[in-house]
Amino acid sequence: MPVVANAVYVGGTKRINPETLDQTFEIMRESGGMGWIGLYRPQREEIHAVEAEFGLHPLAVEDATNGHQRAKLERYGDTLFLVLRPARYLDVEEKVEFGELHLFVGHDFVVTIRHAESPDLGIVRRRLEGDPALLGAGPQAVLYALLDQVVDEYEPVVRGLENDVDEIEDELFGGAPDVSRRIYELHREVIEFQRATQPLQAMMDALLRGSDKYQIDSELGRNLRDVQDHVIRVVERVNTFRALLQNALTVQSTLVAQRQNEEMTRLMETSLRQGEEVKRISSWAAILFAPTLIASIYGMNFDVMPELHWTLGYPFALVLMVGMGSGLYWAFKRNDWL
């Protein structure tokens, strides 16, 4: 059994750390205390003892053992089943790492099942054990403390994402080559963070609506409302990040299109300049080709050429060369090829 923590509390004070779950169940029955059992990635058969003792619903147990669940709150009889998605910001990688925490909360027990390293539930235990008055409120106090810890750990994530968004805004107009990829990756992280935090609003509303029905202590109710306020602030910030990144994607697309248009304009201008050069070169080549053609014809030295022994043949050839060259020059000049 992957039990990482196991204790029985009576009147807000730790009674004992049983060595086995059977001892935990026995001490709970004898003392009327609250059992708090922490499990880490258990298999279905490994959680069978807890399921049988506390009458956990098979569907909830299946969700808790399989993992990969959305954040949610469900009630099975007198037992609450919650799925929380804790998160932490990794400064070196500049990315958000998400975990998964499942809670079963009954009238005299709390079972926590972690599927990731975060959050550190030892912090929550030490906090509650140092405040017997709060812990004396029972499983609802543990539920509050766990929610408070998860939501508090969202704050560094919000700051990290805010810093990333600020960096993207700086890079957006700086022409960074990989800014589009970073925007998409950060947008995906923000959406995942939104999926983790947004359901908490409805979950907190449901818990507070049931505070009278399930006789939650008034002070504990105020603490839950404080957590609710933190959740609302986090959700609002995450919604703002998503809107900013969507705008950044739009701006980036516009900038890319603008740069492409500018590049196309430069290519067209270059092509036009090259076309002008080609026309000039072609024009001069045609002008030079005319006298070359005439000289080539009269340079063949055939005996039977009629102009070969003509006295005016040489001047005629020169005049013909100049005339054809001048005519071509005038024609090309008129058509702006020269």
Side-chain angles (χ1 to χ4, degrees), residues 8-11 15 26-35 108:
V8 176
Y9 300 88
V10 178
R15 174 74 177 272
E26 182 178 352
I27 295 171
M28 287 175 61
R29 287 189 288 267
E30 291 177 353
S31 63
M34 176 190 72
D108 63 349

Side-chain angles (χ1 to χ4, degrees), residues 185-203:
E185 290 176 349
L186 186 56
H187 191 255
R188 187 171 61 248
E189 286 186 349
V190 168
I191 291 175
E192 186 70 18
F193 193 36
Q194 194 175 43
R195 290 173 180 168
T197 57
Q198 208 158 39
L200 284 175
Q201 286 185 292
M203 293 165 63

Side-chain angles (χ1 to χ4, degrees), residues 166-212:
D166 290 341
E167 289 179 355
I168 281 178
E169 289 178 342
D170 293 336
E171 294 175 359
L172 194 59
F173 296 98
D178 59 343
V179 65
S180 295
R181 179 176 180 179
R182 190 177 181 193
I183 292 174
Y184 278 109
E185 290 176 349
L186 186 56
H187 191 255
R188 187 171 61 248
E189 286 186 349
V190 168
I191 291 175
E192 186 70 18
F193 193 36
Q194 194 175 43
R195 290 173 180 168
T197 57
Q198 208 158 39
L200 284 175
Q201 286 185 292
M203 293 165 63
M204 297 304 302
D205 288 340
L207 287 173
L208 289 170
R209 283 197 305 269
S211 59
D212 294 334

Side-chain angles (χ1 to χ4, degrees), residues 136-158:
Q140 300 292 343
V142 178
L143 173 59
Y144 150 71
L146 291 170
L147 286 168
D148 189 48
Q149 180 66 27
V150 170
V151 174
D152 283 347
E153 290 187 5
Y154 286 154
E155 293 296 334
V157 178
V158 170

Side-chain angles (χ1 to χ4, degrees), residues 232-282:
I232 292 173
R233 286 200 297 270
V234 169
V235 170
E236 288 176 348
R237 293 296 295 145
V238 175
N239 291 340
T240 301
F241 294 154
R242 185 170 182 179
L244 288 172
L245 289 172
Q246 287 173 338
N247 291 336
L249 286 173
T250 302
V251 171
Q252 175 63 9
S253 300
T254 303
L255 291 175
V256 169
Q258 182 180 350
R259 284 195 289 268
Q260 289 176 342
N261 290 335
E262 291 174 352
E263 184 64 24
M264 288 297 296
T265 301
R266 284 195 295 270
L267 290 174
M268 291 178 62
E269 291 175 351
T270 302
S271 178
L272 289 173
R273 287 195 298 270
Q274 290 176 344
E276 293 296 324
E277 294 296 328
V278 169
K279 287 195 296 184
R280 290 189 181 91
I281 294 172
S282 300

Side-chain angles (χ1 to χ4, degrees), residues 26 42 45 97 146 148 187 222 255 261 264 293 303 311 315 317-318 326:
E26 182 178 352
E45 59 274 10
E97 182 181 78
L146 291 170
D148 189 48
H187 191 255
R222 283 190 285 271
L255 291 175
N261 290 335
M264 288 297 296
L293 176 62
D303 290 335
T311 304
L318 292 178
S326 300

